[in-house]
Amino acid sequence: MSGARILRYGVPPPFEFEAPSSWLGRLALAQGCSLEEIQVFLDIHADVDVDQMMYGKALAELRRRCSLPQTAFAIAGSVMAGLEKTGLGPWSLATTTRGTPAFRYCPACLRRRSTPHLDIHWRFIDWRYCPLHNCLMESVCWQCRTPVCYPQDMALSKAGRAGNASQRRCLNCTADLAAAKPCLVNPATSSALTELEACWLLNGRALLASLCSGTARYRAEGVGTAALRRRVYQEWLPLPQQWLRVERRLRSDRSLDNLVRESVRLRPREELKTPWGSVISLERW
Ligand SMILES: [Zn+2]
Ligand SMILES: [Zn+2]
């Protein structure tokens, strides 16, 4: 690959909601080279949060260097441009305790994907549940408790060496992440949540909608509006420690098992509705 200025072959098309860091891992696999080589080629420093910086000129350059269409990463780019505009800061994005960019994941979403990949909104700490499957997002591998971090050199990981280089696998222990038992919770109907906790879940979803539309205000059903920066003072969104207590309670609450048969609300793809509830017109980008 060295010497080539533009990648024309072996470039996997990004999925509509995929995060650039997820795609970079898949790109290295498809190119049969190391992640480091890919990062050097694309002038992406290994210590930056590639999802956070991939919008505007940086995204245009990525598309050019990898022969990607203008719609590639349109949603990821819009969300991150929105994050920059609101001034919410990088602390809205999930990281490990060491500061490494991390994802949360929905096991049911991963199970349905023929090519496993990770969505841009799975990077946000306030995206706490999957509205498609009404379950809490998982933060770590259900088997070894390792966080899900990308970009990573999947081929060099334990899963890759075992022939399971896939974003559906824990790269540390090779467990199938889609096999995690979902913690089902529906903010619209669940009696396991207080009204405020249900609002927190819905507001997290609304936050993504507002970032995507580039506005500095957000609105959740029946909740009203608030300036994003006032989140702490007005309790529109919880502090991480506040939510940790809620999540611990929910995950040990056996009454949640009664919610297993709650209906799964899947939306037809052709509606072009985002998982965070707004309708997207790709022409805007
Ligand atoms: Zn899901
Ligand atoms: Zn694991």
Side-chain angles (χ1 to χ4, degrees), residues 256-275:
L256 286 168
D257 290 341
N258 297 329
L259 302 175
V260 166
R261 285 186 290 278
E262 281 189 333
S263 62
V264 174
R265 295 179 300 176
L266 285 174
R267 294 192 173 87
R269 298 284 291 176
E270 57 267 26
E271 281 186 340
L272 284 179
K273 278 189 177 176
T274 66

Side-chain angles (χ1 to χ4, degrees), residues 24-277:
L24 278 180
R26 297 199 298 115
L27 177 64
L29 262 191
Q31 290 286 321
C33 63
S34 69
L35 177 68
E36 187 181 356
E37 283 179 280
I38 287 285
Q39 288 172 318
V40 168
F41 172 74
L42 294 173
D43 297 322
I44 296 174
H45 293 288
D47 56 353
V48 302
D49 187 328
V50 69
D51 293 326
Q52 189 194 348
M53 53 85 73
M54 201 53 75
Y55 64 93
K57 288 182 180 175
L59 178 54
E61 181 64 6
L62 180 75
R63 289 170 179 152
R64 188 184 74 80
R65 299 285 285 278
C66 297
S67 308
L68 293 171
Q70 289 305 302
T71 52
F73 298 116
I75 288 176
S78 181
V79 166
M80 287 306 167
L83 182 65
E84 170 68 18
K85 190 174 176 183
T86 57
L88 273 176
W91 46 86
S92 294
L93 302 174
T95 61
T96 66
T97 51
R98 293 181 177 182
T100 305
F103 282 88
R104 283 183 289 189
Y105 64 95
C106 167
C109 280
L110 282 180
R111 199 175 306 130
R112 288 172 175 269
R113 297 180 178 184
S114 54
T115 301
H117 58 277
L118 305 166
D119 291 346
I120 189 65
H121 41 291
W122 294 2
R123 284 292 320 275
F124 283 78
I125 59 170
D126 290 306
W127 188 268
R128 301 179 191 282
Y129 87 109
C130 173
L132 300 178
H133 300 108
N134 287 322
C135 60
L136 292 181
M137 300 296 289
E138 301 294 325
S139 300
V140 292
C141 167
W142 58 271
Q143 185 160 270
C144 74
R145 315 299 295 168
T146 297
V148 178
C149 298
Y150 282 91
Q152 270 206 63
D153 219 320
M154 289 195 282
L156 297 180
S157 69
K158 187 174 179 181
R161 292 195 304 272
N164 290 320
S166 159
Q167 288 174 342
R168 181 170 158 165
R169 296 281 181 161
C170 169
L171 298 184
N172 183 55
C173 78
T174 78
D176 182 1
L177 296 177
K181 185 184 178 188
C183 181
L184 296 173
V185 60
N186 184 339
T189 60
S190 177
S191 59
L193 293 166
T194 67
E195 193 173 347
L196 178 61
E197 291 161 359
C199 285
W200 284 344
L201 288 179
L202 294 171
N203 277 344
R205 186 178 169 190
L207 169 66
L208 265 293
S210 72
L211 291 180
C212 196
S213 64
T215 62
R217 300 179 75 82
Y218 67 98
R219 181 185 179 87
E221 298 157 45
V223 177
T225 60
L228 286 174
R229 290 194 199 190
R230 289 188 219 140
R231 51 176 291 170
V232 174
Y233 307 105
Q234 299 194 352
E235 292 190 320
W236 293 109
L237 291 163
L239 293 168
Q241 286 302 321
Q242 283 177 303
W243 183 257
L244 200 59
R245 285 193 290 273
V246 176
E247 187 146 340
R248 280 197 184 123
R249 190 192 77 230
L250 292 174
R251 289 186 184 277
S252 62
D253 187 347
R254 292 185 180 173
S255 70
L256 286 168
D257 290 341
N258 297 329
L259 302 175
V260 166
R261 285 186 290 278
E262 281 189 333
S263 62
V264 174
R265 295 179 300 176
L266 285 174
R267 294 192 173 87
R269 298 284 291 176
E270 57 267 26
E271 281 186 340
L272 284 179
K273 278 189 177 176
T274 66
W276 46 84

